[in-house]
Amino acid sequence: MFQAIRLYRKENWYNMMKKIIKKINLYKEQKYLSKLRMQNRNKDFSIVCNNCVGGVIYHNLGVRFNSPTINLFIRSDEYLEFVKNFEYYSKCDIVEVYEDGISYPIGKLVPKDDDHKEITVYFQHYENFEIARKKWKERYLRVNWNNLYYIWEFYDTIYDDKDIYEFDELDELKKKIVLTHKEYKDIKNSFKISCYRNDEPRAKILEYKGISGKRFLEEFDYIGFLN
């Protein structure tokens, strides 16, 4: 009984500390973001990202979502194909599909010919597929084709890193970066994020660093990248 009470108190203390730390981070983050937004000179850009990193950057800078890749993820083995044909896929329909064990909506981009591949889009932050599909099409129409940026958070513990070497050499993608868990000295457009530990297959790039009010993502100077 006494052990159960101790565990209960410990759990309550832990939850209370989590709430306090979250409040501190949110307060510090607001002050940090107000300064960040003043530094940003680029107001009309499109970030094509494989996951939620792009959406968080838009949110941090307080600018409109001018990209379809918001609140979703595309597997790394398909992201390369997607960015190589980004304009082509803007003209393709996206249909609902299902996968065992996944409750959130999933879409598949259907190519209009045999020269392009199907691309699966996981809308993990959408209530249903119709909303996701509407936002996908709506935001594709907002794309600034003259101001495109490509951000790829890459997990080389899951995927073959030969893909990021190809990505790095794509001359048609003028402004691009790969966020990695280890240093690639032979990849020009790469940046190592420190939140990766022990080659874990998933990192917490969007979590706060202690009580700084900054996320691990802030290690990457995306203001400099965009400006």
Side-chain angles (χ1 to χ4, degrees), residues 30-197:
Q30 290 309 308
K31 296 182 70 175
Y32 167 70
L33 292 184
S34 64
K35 293 179 181 179
L36 201 68
R37 291 171 183 179
M38 292 177 65
Q39 296 170 12
N40 179 40
R41 302 190 304 272
N42 194 349
K43 307 296 183 181
D44 182 17
F45 56 86
S46 293
I47 294 176
V48 186
C49 190
N50 66 311
N51 61 15
C52 295
V53 165
V56 169
I57 292 174
Y58 275 112
H59 177 267
N60 286 355
L61 299 181
V63 295
R64 189 175 71 164
F65 294 149
N66 291 336
S67 168
T69 58
I70 303 295
N71 294 329
L72 54 82
F73 73 89
I74 299 171
R75 291 195 305 258
S76 280
D77 54 345
E78 295 186 355
Y79 176 74
L80 180 60
E81 178 72 14
F82 178 64
V83 298
K84 286 164 65 176
N85 301 280
F86 182 58
E87 186 172 2
Y88 173 85
Y89 285 111
S90 70
K91 302 174 179 64
C92 296
D93 194 16
I94 187 165
V95 298
E96 187 170 18
V97 294
Y98 304 90
E99 289 186 16
D100 291 341
I102 295 182
S103 57
Y104 51 77
I106 305 172
K108 189 175 288 291
L109 286 166
V110 182
K112 297 177 179 294
D113 55 50
D114 295 331
D115 296 327
H116 295 82
K117 299 177 182 177
E118 293 182 337
I119 304 293
T120 305
V121 184
Y122 296 87
F123 295 104
Q124 76 268 39
H125 296 301
Y126 289 87
E127 183 179 348
N128 58 60
F129 178 74
E130 287 309 312
I131 293 174
R133 185 175 186 272
K134 178 183 176 183
K135 289 297 183 182
W136 175 269
K137 288 182 170 293
E138 177 183 294
R139 290 167 179 160
Y140 232 133
L141 293 173
R142 297 178 186 170
V143 169
N144 184 341
W145 298 99
N146 297 314
N147 201 15
L148 286 170
Y149 296 80
Y150 300 88
I151 300 178
W152 188 355
E153 186 188 5
F154 187 77
Y155 302 105
D156 65 13
T157 52
I158 300 177
Y159 300 103
D160 190 336
D161 63 8
K162 69 177 179 59
D163 288 341
I164 57 176
Y165 283 91
E166 181 179 350
F167 177 79
D168 192 49
E169 295 299 323
L170 289 174
D171 292 335
E172 63 268 32
L173 308 186
K174 302 299 182 184
K175 292 164 282 193
K176 55 183 177 289
I177 194 76
V178 182
L179 304 179
T180 65
H181 90 287
K182 65 182 182 182
E183 191 171 359
Y184 286 87
K185 292 183 178 180
D186 50 350
I187 292 183
K188 301 185 294 292
N189 303 285
S190 67
F191 185 86
K192 177 187 173 184
I193 301 288
S194 71
C195 61
Y196 300 86
R197 292 290 183 272

